[in-house]
Structures are given as structure tokens and as C-alpha cells.
Amino acid sequence: MAVIGCALLVAVPGMLVLWLWARPLLSSRWTTPGWFVATAGLCVVAAAVTWFIGAFSGSSLDPEESCHAAGTTYDEAYRSAHWREPSRLFPLHNKCNAAYDLVPAWVNPALVLLLLAATTCVGVAVWLAVANKRNGSPVKTIVSALVLIALLGPTVNPNAALAKSTATASHVEGVLPDGSAYVIDVPANWNGTVLLYSHGYVPDGVSNPARNAPSDAVRSALLEAGYAQIGSSYPETGWAVAGALPAQLSTLDEFRARFGPARRTIAWGTSMGGMVTTGLAERYSHRIGGAVTMCGIQQGAVANWNNALDALFAIRALLAPGSTAPLVRLPDQATALASVAELTAALDAAQATPQGRARIALVAALRNIPAWTNPAQPEPEPDDYDTAARNQFEVLRQFIRTGLSWRQDAEEHAGGNMSWNTGVDYTRMLARSAGRQQVEALYARSGLSPRDDLATLAAQSRIGADPAAVGYMSRNIAFTGRLTKPMMSIHTTGDPGVPAQAEQAYAEAVSDAGRSRLLRQAFVHRAGHCTFTTGEMLAAVRTLEHRISTGRWPDTGPATLNRLAAEFEPAATHGYAAYQPTPYPRPFHLPH
């Protein structure tokens, strides 16, 4: 009974310790400095137990008796010639003769492996702790790692294998087999992270060089911070989504072939590139550690073109009654531009009257165009509906061109019309819009009733989609929300091109898929499309890195993000702010 009791006294605490150690493995939260420190400590304890087993093997008896008990001969001459061996701390030996050792054969190799494992764990813990400190995480993990270093001595540099390929800065340009240009920049002080940048929409006929950063300033700041940066031009311009994902993955392959595997790969992108980045995150998560989307088309392609159709449909019905200008199934650019001219003339005429301005506000509300759209101008007061309407008019003038010219290009790719408004209730859409109060105020001034104009919209013949084209746009790209890696998404509140409600559409998809823990969204209070400061973008990258490194999101509130942005760009004014977008007008998600 005494033996059983002693065994339980040892086994029960041991099993408890092992369970506490293994729990992070089961919950996928083991990539923290604390876990590696604990693992190193267990390795040290196991090494100590192993050493005692070896050091005291055969010590309960006289060495000669121990040898006879083991069934072997005791060689006095050999023992005398090797009298130092039993007293050495390492390697452990207590030989009866030249062929037989009382110390088990596994002891010395186990000691080497356990101490090597402990040292490696300390190295990883220190590296993670330093990375966490850069992201504003608690310092206690660093202290824990440094204490263990003091006990175990110096460790290896976890980035040593990476450093051999980056002794000097590298700039590489080339062409992929699909014709995409690519560009790679690797700093001499590469930190092991590569950022895969996806750029936005480039119209046909516009220069399209490879890009690996949102701007030269961002590229320079990231290179100085030690990040490698890569990106491609995609194989074509226009709605090039179908070729964008393969081109980006091929660029990543090219980087790996030249510089070896990165310690961490982060996909990031702006505007249409944000949508490409989300596609990479959902479909190729095994190639990346996480994603940062900025001003992205997060509602996906189908929802994007549907909502564009809603605004064009309302412009034609309310501002150009009786017009037959085609809105979909545009055979060529000439047809598209003819519709642009007709609808733009109607918009200009409407802007000259109170009734027309009220209807323009209704169109803007269906698209959720914000009141503040130009960062070069001051933000209108909340009740300054005249300034808001003027800003929205300017946005709609540009929107008519892109909404029809770019649609014609997208329809060519899709093989038909990819959007519809059959069954759409525009009264309900207005009720959910952020611009509803402005519409009601301007209609009240004009003497018109929004109810009458909404009835006019309801009476119009609706537009159906071509199923094959919808299928194409669903593949290039609509989203499921099934994230498996963390994503940080940022958006300006005054984005006229991709209104911030797009973020709400993706948040709903992620929530429906049960993956909200992997998504964080933050908003910058500023007008304009993708008008982030360099510091704001780098703050998003560092926030994601913290999540990847620790398995936990840091504080993503405005104050923390602005403070982090200021560390990278002290002279700029950063604008992260609390904001909750209204629902997206017509979301479209793929099945989970």
C-alpha cells in the first residue's frame, strides 16, 4: 500500500501538470511565449530526472555486486584504468567492463535531446516575446523568457536561417508565365515576414505595373521595419479577379524559390485588391498566416454589381423618366458611354432644382454614399444636407461613368449580365439606409413625397440576371465568411467608392459561418476611398501580427490603434474612431 500511495503522490500531480501543458494544444493557443517557456521548464525537469536515473544506476549496491546482480563480470583492471568515468557529470557512465554499462543506454541521448529541446523552446519564446512587445502586449512574457535564459544560457537566433539569404537588400522584377509582371523587395534586415500586396482596379488602357505596396511611403516604412514585400500586376486590366488570385500565388512561389520560405506570410490589399485578399484568405488559407483588407469590396462581386444597378436604375427612373438607355448587357464601350452621357445630363439637370436634389439624395441613400466624400473639404455638419447633397452629386457623376463603363468590361468577363433587381423592395432599402433622414428633409423642402417616387421605382419593369454570369461573379468573387485564419479589415467612414457598409456585409457572412472570433474591423473617420495614413495601415498590419503570434486579439479600439499608428508616423494625424455601419443594402453570400 505504501508503494501505491507514493506512486499516486507522484502520478496525480504529474498528470495534472501534463494536462495543464496540453490544454493550449487542444485549443490552438499554444503559440505563445508562456507555453514555450513552460515546455522548456518541463524539458529541464525531465532532463534532471533522467540525469538522476543515470547518475545513481547501480548505486544501491557496491559496484561489483551491482555488476554481478546484472549478470555480468566485474573487470577490476578496466575499472582502475577508467576510474574517472563514474564521477563525471556528463556523459554518464558506470561500466562493469568494456562491454557493459550500468547506466541505461538511453540516458545520455535523452539528456542531449531534452536540453536541446529546452534551448530551442527558450529561443522561440524570446522571439515571440520580442514580437509581442512590438505589438504592445504585456511585458511579463518577456521577463519569463529572460529569466529562463539566465538559467539555461544563450540560445540560437531563430532568424539565423533567414539571414543567410538577406545579407543585402534585394529588388527583383520579372514576368510570370501568365504574363503578369511581379516585383519583390527584401530588406537587408528582413524580419522573416513577407507581405503579399493585391492592388485595386486598373481600367483598360491604363498603365499597370506590378505593385507590392499601397504607396511608395508605405513601402519605404515597411522596408525600414524589416518586411519583405511582393506583388503582381495580374495578367490583365479591368475586372481581372479570375487571374488575380493565381498570379498572386505564383508571385509567392517565385519569392519562395528565390529567398526560401518566409517565417510568416500576410496577404493584404486595397479596394478590389481587398476583395482579392479576402478571396486568398477564404480559399488559400494554407498559404498565408492572416490577412489585412483595406477599403475592400468586402460585400463581394455579386452584391457590388447588384447595388450599382440599384443606383443606376433609380437615376434612370427618377431623373430621366421615359429613357431607354441600357443599363446592362452592354455590348461595347460605345454603348456604355452613350448611356453615361444620357444619364449624366439628366443628373446635371436635376441638380439645378430642389426636387431634383431631393431625388439625387434618394439615389445616394440607396447606395449609402456618405455626406463627407472629399478629404480636401471640411466635413459637413450632421444637419447640413445641402452640402451633403452637393458632395453626393459629384460622386454620382463619377459613379455613372464607372458604373457603366466598368460594368461593360465586367460583363465581357462574365459572359452576360451578372446583376438583377427583380423582387427588390426599395422602400425597405431606404428605411435601412444611413441617408434616410437627409432624404426625408430634402423631400420635405421640395414639396415632393418620397413615397410617390418609391412607388414609381416599384412600378418600373425590373431587370433579370443571366445565371451563367452570376455563377462567374460568384466564383470571382463572392464570399462564404468561412475564415480559418485571422483577418484585420479597415475602412474609411467617408468612402464614396466602396461605402463602409461593405464591411457590415462581410461581418454578417463571417458571423453566419460562426467565425467572428477571427475577424476584427476598424474604421478611420475620414473622407475618400483608401485615404489612410501610412501609420494607420502599418497599425493594422502589426495588430494582425499580434493575433497570429499569440492566438489572441489585442485591443483594437480607436485609441490603441491611433497610438500604434503614431509610433510609425508621429507627424501625421490619425483618425481611427468608433463607428458602426448600417446594414449593407443587398448582401449576397455563398453557402457556408
Side-chain angles (χ1 to χ4, degrees):
M1 289 295 295
V3 173
I4 294 175
C6 291
L8 288 175
L9 285 175
V10 174
V12 171
M15 292 297 291
L16 178 61
V17 170
L18 286 175
W19 167 244
L20 292 174
W21 172 81
R23 282 181 64 191
L25 289 174
L26 300 176
S27 60
S28 300
R29 294 187 176 183
W30 57 274
T31 55
T32 63
W35 186 85
F36 281 98
V37 168
T39 302
L42 287 175
C43 289
V44 170
V45 171
V49 172
T50 301
W51 187 89
F52 276 103
I53 291 172
F56 292 97
S57 294
S59 64
S60 60
L61 300 171
D62 177 79
E64 184 173 356
E65 292 179 6
S66 297
C67 292
H68 291 318
T72 188
T73 59
Y74 179 78
D75 188 339
E76 181 67 38
Y78 179 88
R79 296 277 299 189
S80 298
H82 299 85
W83 62 272
R84 292 182 182 274
E85 276 189 352
S87 61
R88 287 176 181 165
L89 295 176
F90 185 82
L92 295 173
H93 290 295
N94 191 7
K95 292 186 175 182
C96 296
N97 51 60
Y100 189 88
D101 197 339
L102 292 172
V103 175
W106 57 268
V107 167
N108 289 311
L111 285 172
V112 172
L113 291 175
L114 287 168
L115 291 176
L116 180 62
T119 303
T120 301
C121 286
V122 171
V124 174
V126 171
W127 172 72
L128 288 174
V130 171
N132 291 349
K133 181 175 174 61
R134 290 174 181 171
N135 286 288
S137 60
V139 180
K140 64 181 181 181
T141 52
I142 302 174
V143 174
S144 300
L146 292 176
V147 168
L148 202 55
I149 284 179
L151 296 175
L152 296 182
T155 64
V156 298
N157 175 10
N159 287 331
L162 300 171
K164 66 181 182 181
S165 300
T166 57
T168 59
S170 299
H171 176 82
V172 180
E173 296 183 22
V175 178
L176 298 171
D178 66 359
S180 303
Y182 69 84
V183 60
I184 296 172
D185 282 298
V186 183
N189 61 330
W190 183 31
N191 61 16
T193 295
V194 61
L195 298 173
L196 174 62
Y197 176 69
S198 298
H199 67 76
Y201 187 93
V202 178
D204 288 341
V206 175
S207 175
N208 184 33
R211 300 168 178 84
N212 61 3
S215 68
D216 291 341
V218 172
R219 182 186 303 105
S220 297
L222 287 169
L223 288 173
E224 185 177 347
Y227 293 90
Q229 297 166 82
I230 63 176
S232 76
S233 64
Y234 315 152
E236 58 182 331
T237 53
W239 192 262
V241 179
L245 273 71
Q248 292 296 83
L249 295 173
S250 295
T251 301
L252 189 57
D253 292 337
E254 187 69 29
F255 174 85
R256 184 186 181 102
R258 289 176 176 271
F259 298 96
R263 173 178 55 81
R264 176 180 296 150
T265 300
I266 293 175
W268 71 327
T270 50
S271 195
M272 188 180 80
M275 182 171 67
V276 172
T277 296
T278 304
L280 291 170
E282 287 200 359
R283 301 181 185 183
Y284 300 98
S285 61
H286 61 286
R287 300 294 304 273
I288 64 173
V292 175
T293 69
M294 301 173 286
C295 49
I297 306 175
Q298 298 303 95
Q299 69 272 43
V302 175
N304 173 67
W305 290 113
N306 270 345
N307 189 235
L309 176 62
D310 292 331
L312 292 169
F313 184 81
I315 289 172
R316 189 179 68 176
L318 300 179
L319 306 184
S323 170
T324 59
L327 305 179
V328 299
R329 300 182 181 93
L330 304 165
D332 49 44
Q333 280 293 305
T335 303
L337 293 177
S339 290
V340 168
E342 183 174 340
L343 296 186
T344 301
L347 183 77
D348 290 344
Q351 180 65 11
T353 69
Q355 293 77 18
R357 289 193 292 274
R359 287 168 171 151
I360 290 173
L362 174 56
V363 173
L366 295 179
R367 188 158 170 78
N368 277 302
I369 297 174
W372 187 28
T373 59
N374 187 344
Q377 297 177 355
E379 180 181 11
E381 293 296 325
D383 59 352
D384 185 358
Y385 298 133
D386 292 326
T387 300
R390 186 166 55 251
N391 292 342
Q392 291 159 349
F393 162 73
E394 295 295 340
V395 170
L396 284 170
R397 278 192 113 255
Q398 179 64 30
F399 163 75
I400 291 173
R401 173 171 288 275
T402 58
L404 288 167
S405 177
W406 293 8
R407 169 180 286 276
Q408 191 275 328
D409 169 74
E411 286 186 346
E412 277 194 359
H413 283 85
N417 172 37
M418 58 281 185
S419 39
W420 68 92
N421 67 347
T422 50
V424 174
D425 184 346
Y426 287 114
T427 298
R428 182 173 183 270
M429 189 180 295
L430 175 62
R432 291 157 51 92
S433 171
R436 179 180 58 82
Q437 290 184 340
Q438 176 190 341
V439 170
E440 292 172 348
L442 291 182
Y443 266 86
R445 281 194 219 164
S446 72
L448 298 178
S449 167
R451 186 176 304 169
D452 293 340
D453 280 345
L454 289 167
T456 298
L457 285 178
Q460 299 293 308
S461 297
R462 298 306 178 95
I463 297 171
D466 301 324
V470 176
Y472 176 91
M473 280 297 167
S474 296
R475 295 189 298 275
N476 302 292
I477 311 170
F479 301 125
T480 65
R482 286 181 60 85
L483 290 174
T484 58
K485 298 290 177 64
M487 174 184 288
M488 180 73 183
S489 190
I490 63 175
H491 220 107
T492 53
T493 58
D495 190 331
V498 184
Q501 283 73 19
E503 297 291 339
Q504 184 65 16
Y506 192 64
E508 290 174 3
V510 173
S511 177
D512 290 345
R515 307 298 174 90
S516 295
R517 68 187 184 281
L518 292 171
L519 176 67
R520 290 295 182 273
Q521 295 173 321
F523 297 90
V524 171
H525 186 65
R526 188 175 298 118
H529 182 50
C530 303
T531 52
F532 305 108
T533 65
T534 296
E536 287 161 356
M537 288 186 273
L538 267 61
V541 171
R542 282 292 174 84
T543 298
L544 177 73
E545 280 196 297
H546 180 99
R547 172 61 176 80
I548 295 172
S549 296
T550 67
R552 296 184 300 272
W553 286 106
D555 178 19
T556 56
T560 298
L561 291 173
N562 285 327
R563 185 166 57 249
L564 188 56
E567 292 179 10
F568 295 111
E569 194 180 13
T573 300
H574 306 293
Y576 280 108
Y579 180 75
Q580 178 60 49
T582 55
Y584 191 76
R586 275 209 285 156
F588 178 87
H589 307 140
L590 294 176
H592 301 138

